[in-house]
Amino acid sequence: QAPPRKGIANIGFINLADLQSGFSRRQQVKKRKPGEKKVLIDPEKVLPPHKLKAKLDEYVVGQEKAKKIISVAVYNHYKRVMAGESLKDADGVEIEKSNVLMIGPTGSGKTHIVRTLAKLLDVPLAITDATSLTEAGYIGDDIESVVSKLLTAADNDVDKAEVGIIFIDEIDKIAKKNSTRGRDVSGESVQQGLLKMLEGSEIEVPVGATSKNAMVPLTTINTRNILFICGGAFPDLTDIIKERLTETSSIGFNAMLKDRYNEDYLLDKVETEDLRKFGMIPEFIGRLPVVFTLSPMSD
């Protein structure tokens, strides 16, 4: 045992090297040995859509339409991943990512469906909130922290993380703010920052932390094979849809009345133009090709 260091009375000294070694295991990226075979996805776990939907039925009650759509989207994504490095189908056409946008009120089961899917597929899953995300350089989590959480969920295995699922909840909270005159650091700027990540690119990610700094090591992750699922309640979106549906009205017998949609569940009629009016930028919507809604909870 090393003798205590002499110094000023009642003041001790900290060895920074000892402090850093405590974090090294958490911040160490797992590396594979040369020639070690990578078996990241079990082909037997990637079931056809009808079988995957049947498995979901065992865990999720209701939401039949949502389960069918997400089963097809997830199957298409992992079929594309297992196709190999070329990511092309039999005709030589490159298959694009099928990121998903889930729209549904609070308590409709968005997170539960995603968590169940990751469990059935046996792939790493990261669930994060869009409310804490800000543009780089501002207080809050950097956009790269989304992928950093997936890396942590995959036990710092980069290869395993590159075929995982990221669920970004409360995505409606990063809509453009119409009333602000300054820089929109937690709205449109976050959407702009997420564009390349959703599309698929190589990004530098802090290992074991949510923001980049000098003490945290960085590693490169390719998001080309990561499935992004975004979810949000989108309050007031029904008003935008209703306004679009009732732009024209008429009078007389067999007239189309303004209140004819009052009893309907209007979120089922959502279109990309409604999301743009809500505050999502067109480029962001374009990178989420699969859009579907969940039914509200029954009384």
Side-chain angles (χ1 to χ4, degrees):
Q1 188 177 359
R5 299 184 184 183
K6 293 182 180 179
I8 306 169
N10 299 325
I11 296 178
F13 293 93
I14 297 174
N15 188 351
L16 288 176
D18 295 340
L19 189 66
Q20 200 167 1
S21 64
F23 296 102
S24 60
R25 186 173 293 178
R26 186 165 63 92
Q27 296 178 345
Q28 197 168 10
V29 174
K30 184 179 178 183
K31 293 183 179 177
R32 299 186 183 278
K33 297 172 184 175
E36 187 179 351
K37 192 176 179 182
K38 296 191 294 184
V39 183
L40 305 173
I41 304 173
D42 186 357
E44 293 181 0
K45 294 282 180 74
V46 183
L47 302 170
H50 66 282
K51 290 185 179 178
L52 194 57
K53 197 262 179 188
K55 284 277 187 184
L56 277 173
D57 287 337
E58 297 176 15
Y59 298 91
V60 184
V61 178
Q63 307 293 4
E64 294 299 314
K65 178 186 169 187
K67 286 188 288 190
K68 287 176 184 176
I69 294 172
I70 201 165
S71 296
V72 173
V74 166
Y75 174 73
N76 284 342
H77 174 78
Y78 281 105
K79 182 182 175 185
R80 167 187 174 274
V81 171
M82 290 189 298
E85 295 296 323
S86 63
L87 301 178
K88 294 182 179 179
D89 62 8
D91 300 324
V93 178
E94 188 165 345
I95 308 165
E96 287 299 323
K97 288 177 70 176
S98 55
N99 295 322
V100 179
L101 175 61
M102 307 168 71
I103 302 172
T106 305
S108 55
K110 298 185 291 291
T111 310
H112 180 57
I113 289 174
V114 176
R115 195 180 279 123
T116 305
L117 272 173
K119 185 179 172 184
L120 292 173
L121 295 164
D122 195 20
V123 293
L125 167 70
I127 299 175
T128 187
D129 238 317
T131 47
S132 61
L133 298 178
T134 55
E135 192 182 356
Y138 291 86
I139 292 174
D141 290 344
D142 290 347
I143 293 159
E144 289 85 2
S145 70
V146 172
V147 185
S148 181
K149 287 177 181 176
L150 181 66
L151 185 63
T152 305
D155 295 328
N156 289 352
D157 188 338
V158 174
D159 295 325
K160 200 172 179 183
E162 286 181 346
V163 293
I165 298 175
I166 293 177
F167 178 58
I168 308 176
D169 204 1
E170 307 290 350
I171 201 72
D172 51 306
K173 303 301 184 289
I174 60 169
K176 282 196 291 185
K177 314 288 190 297
N178 295 325
S179 58
T180 182
R181 291 185 180 180
R183 193 170 178 85
D184 191 7
V185 296
S186 63
E188 186 179 358
S189 299
V190 176
Q191 290 187 56
Q192 297 280 3
L194 283 169
L195 291 180
K196 292 303 290 180
M197 194 184 294
L198 291 170
E199 188 179 20
S201 62
E202 292 195 348
I203 57 171
E204 285 192 334
V205 174
V207 183
T210 56
S211 59
K212 297 177 181 176
N213 58 65
M215 296 288 288
V216 178
L218 300 174
T219 187
T220 304
I221 289 185
N222 193 334
T223 63
R224 201 177 182 193
N225 292 333
I226 296 175
L227 178 62
F228 286 88
I229 301 176
C230 301
F234 288 87
D236 304 326
L237 184 62
T238 51
D239 296 335
I240 296 170
I241 299 169
K242 190 172 182 180
E243 186 182 339
R244 171 176 57 82
L245 293 172
T246 57
E247 279 179 351
T248 58
S249 63
S250 55
I251 60 172
F253 298 109
N254 300 322
M256 301 290 281
L257 301 177
K258 284 265 186 182
D259 62 349
R260 66 186 179 276
Y261 294 110
N262 282 355
E263 301 300 323
D264 292 350
Y265 181 55
L266 291 177
L267 279 182
D268 280 339
K269 298 177 172 62
V270 68
E271 292 182 1
T272 52
E273 181 63 23
D274 304 320
L275 294 170
R276 192 189 63 76
K277 283 184 180 177
F278 185 85
M280 313 307 286
I281 59 174
E283 302 94 318
F284 186 80
I285 302 167
R287 283 164 175 79
L288 296 164
V290 182
V291 180
F292 64 91
T293 58
L294 286 86
S295 306
M297 294 179 71
S298 57
D299 297 333

